[in-house]
């Protein structure tokens, strides 16, 4: 795949920098990169040289940001609110920067797929290391010695969170990557690059399985199913029954490969499957409490919000 111009390269680099997650804290690499180009983005916005979509989107961003600033009046955490306002400005700049580069790039769809290929590829070796050794980066917010009591014994809490600090954030990142990687399989890449994408998707499926995030696994399966449907429409010329059998074969094969990887890396796949199906009952209660607290905050704030940074 050729990166045709500097804007394609910028798109690849911007997405690849997401692999660094929370490294750097406030000064995350992707934020520093966005700040470098923020003046040019805002100059373009000020010059009103925007496409129709930008002209319609900009008022919504400005209204939303103005209301966030107004909520500083009643927020219980003004210092954190100021930080969030700064983050929002950087992220808005990043959004319009990506839109502007996309319009000037010669092959945006392939560039964004390559960007996610690099982003996920940079984190997956760390994820496999964490899974096999239970050693994690210092930024991890979870206890690597945690266990889950099944009633018949304890299961080690095996997981990967890499540069993101917690497994849920990393699982979401992998789901985003999976969407664009599956799309990459439908693009005109070389066979070698498509093999690399397929292998990366296999490792992503394995890491999501080990992390036992039910929402992330459901998202991955939905993305995979969408891909197989689109691929079947474009490539398969057999009848419907044969297409369905092929789809079942591919999904079963993917599941077997994930279990095979678990055995190769000395991770007990059946124990993780138990953790996935039975070990997180407490999470439902936690989510219910969060929803209840959010609803109470909305009611207590008379539907104007609790304030930015709260």
């Amino acid at each position: 795949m050729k990166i045709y111009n500097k804007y394609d390269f910028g798109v690849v680099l911007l997405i690849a920098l997401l692999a660094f997650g929370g490294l750097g804290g406030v000064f995350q690499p992707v934020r520093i990169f966005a700040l470098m180009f923020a003046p040019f983005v805002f100059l373009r916005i000020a010059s009103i040289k925007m496409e129709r979509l930008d002209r319609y989107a900009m008022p919504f961003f400005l209204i939303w940001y103005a209301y966030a600033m107004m909520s500083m009046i009643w927020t219980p955490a003004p210092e954190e609110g100021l930080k969030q306002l700064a983050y929002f400005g950087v992220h808005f700049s990043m959004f319009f920067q990506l839109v502007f580069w996309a319009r000037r790039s010669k092959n945006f769809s392939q560039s964004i797929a390559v960007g996610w290929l690099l982003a996920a590829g940079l984190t997956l070796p760390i994820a496999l290391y964490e899974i096999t050794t239970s050693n994690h980066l210092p930024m991890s917010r979870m206890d690597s010695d945690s266990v889950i009591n099944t009633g018949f014994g304890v299961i080690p809490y095996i997981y990967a969170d890499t540069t993101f600090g917690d497994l849920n954030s990393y699982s979401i990142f992998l789901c985003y990557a999976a969407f664009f990687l599956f799309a990459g399989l439908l693009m005109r890449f070389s066979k070698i690059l498509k093999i690399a994408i397929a292998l990366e998707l296999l490792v992503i499926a394995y890491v999501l399985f080990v992390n036992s995030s039910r929402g992330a696994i459901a998202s991955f399966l939905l993305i995979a199913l969408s891909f197989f449907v689109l691929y079947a429409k474009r490539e398969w010329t057999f009848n419907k029954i044969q297409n369905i059998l092929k789809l079942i074969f591919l999904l079963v094969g993917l599941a077997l490969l994930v279990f095979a990887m678990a055995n190769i890396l000395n991770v007990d796949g059946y124990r993780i499957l138990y953790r996935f199906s039975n070990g997180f009952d407490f999470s439902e209660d936690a989510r219910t409490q969060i929803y209840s607290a959010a609803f109470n905050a909305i009611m207590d704030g008379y539907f104007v919000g609790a304030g930015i940074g709260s």
Side-chain angles (χ1 to χ4, degrees):
M1 181 267 180
K2 295 180 179 179
I3 299 178
Y4 294 103
N5 59 29
K6 59 184 179 182
Y7 299 107
D8 288 289
F9 179 78
V11 169
V12 171
L13 185 56
L14 179 64
I15 296 171
L17 287 174
L18 295 174
F20 292 91
L23 286 176
V26 175
F27 301 104
Q28 295 174 12
V30 69
R31 289 175 179 165
I32 298 298
F33 185 71
L35 282 172
M36 290 170 56
F37 293 92
F40 303 100
V41 173
F42 289 119
L43 282 174
R44 177 173 176 79
I45 292 173
S47 67
I48 320 180
K49 293 180 179 178
M50 296 184 292
E51 302 291 338
R52 179 178 298 178
L53 175 63
D54 303 328
R55 291 200 302 270
Y56 287 133
M58 181 55 63
F60 288 100
F61 277 103
L62 292 176
I63 292 171
W64 189 89
Y65 196 79
Y67 188 79
M69 293 179 63
M70 186 175 67
S71 72
M72 286 289 295
I73 298 173
W74 62 81
T75 181
E79 291 184 2
E80 186 63 28
L82 287 174
K83 292 180 183 178
Q84 294 298 323
L85 286 174
Y87 293 156
F88 292 156
V90 174
H91 296 160
F92 288 167
S93 170
M94 196 184 309
F95 169 80
F96 284 102
Q97 176 183 328
L98 185 62
V99 171
F100 295 156
W101 284 355
R103 294 206 174 103
R104 285 163 176 74
S105 63
K106 291 187 177 180
N107 206 330
F108 174 68
S109 58
Q110 289 192 5
S111 297
I112 200 169
V114 171
W116 280 105
L117 178 67
L118 292 175
L122 289 171
T123 65
L124 289 174
I126 303 174
L128 295 178
Y129 172 79
E130 290 181 340
I131 290 169
T132 54
T133 66
S134 292
N135 294 320
H136 299 269
L137 297 179
M139 63 189 306
S140 178
R141 295 190 292 272
M142 302 181 67
D143 185 0
S144 59
D145 296 326
S146 298
V147 295
I148 294 177
N149 190 348
T150 66
F152 303 98
V154 294
I155 296 176
Y157 199 100
I158 301 171
Y159 65 93
D161 54 5
T162 65
T163 59
F164 291 82
D166 71 271
L167 65 90
N168 288 319
S169 296
Y170 184 52
S171 296
I172 293 172
F173 168 81
L174 292 180
C175 286
Y176 282 128
F179 177 85
F180 291 102
L181 291 176
F182 272 116
L185 291 176
L186 297 174
M187 298 177 187
R188 294 183 178 179
F189 285 130
S190 65
K191 289 184 179 180
I192 294 177
L193 194 55
K194 284 192 175 183
I195 291 173
I197 292 174
L199 291 175
E200 202 164 278
L201 284 169
L202 175 61
V203 179
I204 288 174
Y206 168 71
V207 173
L208 291 176
F209 171 69
V210 172
N211 278 353
S212 302
S213 173
R214 289 170 289 186
I217 292 176
S219 298
F220 181 87
L221 292 176
L222 182 61
I223 294 168
L225 181 61
S226 301
F227 162 74
F228 289 131
V229 170
L230 291 173
Y231 183 80
K233 285 185 175 181
R234 197 180 78 170
E235 302 292 343
W236 291 349
T237 57
F238 306 108
N239 58 44
K240 291 183 179 179
I241 295 178
Q242 288 175 315
N243 286 345
I244 293 173
L245 291 175
K246 265 196 169 185
L247 177 59
I248 294 173
F249 174 79
L250 288 171
L251 292 176
V252 172
L254 178 62
L256 292 175
L257 284 172
V258 168
F259 269 92
M261 287 185 65
N263 291 327
I264 292 172
L265 296 174
N266 295 321
V267 176
D268 192 336
Y270 294 101
R271 297 176 77 183
I272 293 176
L273 187 61
Y274 177 88
R275 193 180 84 185
F276 171 75
S277 58
N278 301 305
F280 285 106
D281 292 337
F282 71 90
S283 66
E284 302 301 332
D285 293 333
R287 288 192 179 97
T288 301
Q289 293 176 9
I290 292 172
Y291 300 150
S292 176
F295 178 76
N296 291 333
I298 292 173
M299 298 301 295
D300 293 340
Y302 301 100
F303 294 94
V304 297
I308 187 171
S310 60

